[in-house]
């Protein structure tokens, strides 16, 4: 079992729809969770971070964390073609490392 | 402006040659990381350092070496033992392991 798992996609949604990106993690001691966006050929950039159970909203983005289910998600409302990118989930582990998932490719169709 | 600078942007390595990728940050971050990314793949951790003069191997450290003599610098050497070095190399830093990472623009390494 991978420490941080994401569906590789591609996930395709129409413009204006809600995109839902999911991530599961195996280390019950993980405390910090991050979502990064990576455009093709570029370096990742931070979208959201979440430390507590529940929802955290920032503009069109909502991060959701459920520690009991070891599940973290990212919702993108009113998806735009410019949101088309690979989204990377990251979690810390008790060994002191930050672990990335494989990433989910999102395609928003006009 | 604070940030991370990686150089060079593109690098070519000859067979049997060691090459060094530079990573400098002025964010006053304690932790620094090196990742490798192959086309269509996720990020794989090569080495990380949580404090000056200390570093740990990541998942794919074989064929690579690092040093952390200064807080702001974390250079990566790709040795001739790394037989398939062609990839996109990313350096990152964070205040500590529970804080978000900031990434440099990356170095693309190819074999001549």
């Amino acid at each position: 079992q991978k420490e941080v798992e994401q569906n590789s996609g591609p996930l395709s949604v129409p413009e204006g729809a809600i995109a839902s990106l999911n991530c599961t993690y195996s280390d019950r001691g993980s405390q910090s969770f991050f979502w990064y966006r990576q455009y093709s050929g570029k370096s990742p950039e931070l979208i959201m971070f979440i430390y507590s159970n529940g929802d955290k909203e920032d503009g069109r983005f909502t991060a959701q964390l459920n520690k009991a289910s070891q599940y973290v998600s990212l919702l993108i409302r009113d998806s735009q073609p410019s949101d088309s990118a690979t989204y990377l989930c990251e979690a810390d582990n008790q060994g002191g490392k930050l672990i990335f998932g494989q990433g989910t490719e999102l395609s928003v169709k006009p | 402006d604070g940030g991370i600078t990686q150089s060079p942007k593109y690098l070519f390595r000859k067979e049997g040659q060691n090459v060094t990728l530079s990573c400098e940050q002025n964010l006053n971050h304690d932790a620094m990381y090196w990742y490798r990314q192959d086309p269509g793949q996720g990020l794989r951790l090569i080495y990380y350092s949580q404090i000056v003069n200390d570093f740990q191997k990541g998942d794919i450290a074989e064929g690579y070496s690092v040093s952390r003599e200064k807080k702001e610098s974390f250079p990566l050497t790709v040795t001739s033992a790394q037989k398939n070095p062609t990839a996109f190399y990313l350096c990152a830093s964070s205040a500590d392991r529970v804080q978000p990472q900031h990434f440099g623009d990356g170095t693309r390494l190819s074999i001549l």
Side-chain angles (χ1 to χ4, degrees):
Chain A
Q1 181 188 6
K2 292 182 181 176
E3 291 191 65
V4 177
E5 276 198 82
Q6 297 179 250
N7 292 328
S8 60
L11 173 66
S12 184
V13 300
E15 184 175 356
I18 296 175
S20 178
L21 302 157
N22 304 315
C23 175
T24 58
Y25 59 96
S26 62
D27 187 339
R28 285 199 168 274
S30 295
Q31 300 177 39
S32 307
F33 306 89
F34 308 94
W35 283 100
Y36 295 85
R37 177 177 62 198
Q38 186 178 25
Y39 291 114
S40 181
K42 302 295 184 182
S43 60
E45 55 181 333
L46 181 71
I47 297 296
M48 294 282 290
F49 60 90
I50 187 166
Y51 301 134
S52 304
N53 270 333
D55 295 0
K56 179 181 179 182
E57 188 174 316
D58 183 2
R60 296 187 296 113
F61 299 96
T62 299
Q64 299 175 317
L65 176 60
N66 183 325
K67 289 187 177 180
S69 300
Q70 296 177 241
Y71 175 95
V72 58
S73 65
L74 179 69
L75 301 178
I76 306 174
R77 290 182 299 281
D78 188 22
S79 295
Q80 301 297 308
S82 60
D83 294 326
S84 297
T86 295
Y87 289 80
L88 300 165
C89 172
E90 184 185 42
D92 68 325
N93 73 3
Q94 294 189 77
K97 290 196 296 186
L98 291 165
I99 309 295
F100 276 99
Q102 285 296 99
T104 298
E105 183 184 349
L106 173 66
S107 177
V108 181
K109 303 294 186 184
Chain B
D1 285 340
I4 298 182
T5 302
Q6 288 188 243
S7 63
K9 192 169 183 176
Y10 299 96
L11 187 59
F12 299 92
R13 195 192 86 171
K14 295 179 181 178
E15 293 287 342
Q17 186 181 43
N18 293 351
V19 292
T20 297
L21 283 60
S22 172
C23 178
E24 303 276 333
Q25 55 100 358
N26 60 4
L27 298 166
N28 200 34
H29 284 170
D30 284 319
M32 297 188 75
Y33 312 81
W34 274 106
Y35 295 93
R36 169 179 172 144
Q37 188 173 38
D38 294 284
Q41 303 298 311
L43 277 66
R44 291 188 289 170
L45 183 64
I46 305 173
Y47 270 98
Y48 64 106
S49 168
Q50 296 186 356
I51 197 168
V52 175
N53 292 321
D54 188 42
F55 51 83
Q56 288 78 41
K57 292 182 179 180
D59 301 316
I60 55 165
E62 186 174 348
Y64 301 97
S65 65
V66 294
S67 63
R68 187 85 189 276
E69 297 176 1
K70 298 186 297 182
K71 186 174 185 177
E72 59 270 23
S73 179
F74 192 40
L76 174 74
T77 296
V78 184
T79 75
S80 57
Q82 174 48 246
K83 298 305 180 188
N84 184 22
T86 298
F88 186 40
Y89 290 86
L90 287 159
C91 179
S93 72
S94 64
D96 57 50
R97 75 177 185 93
V98 297
Q99 298 296 324
Q101 291 175 305
H102 296 251
F103 284 85
D105 289 337
T107 293
R108 294 195 181 277
L109 175 62
S110 301
I111 291 186
L112 281 178

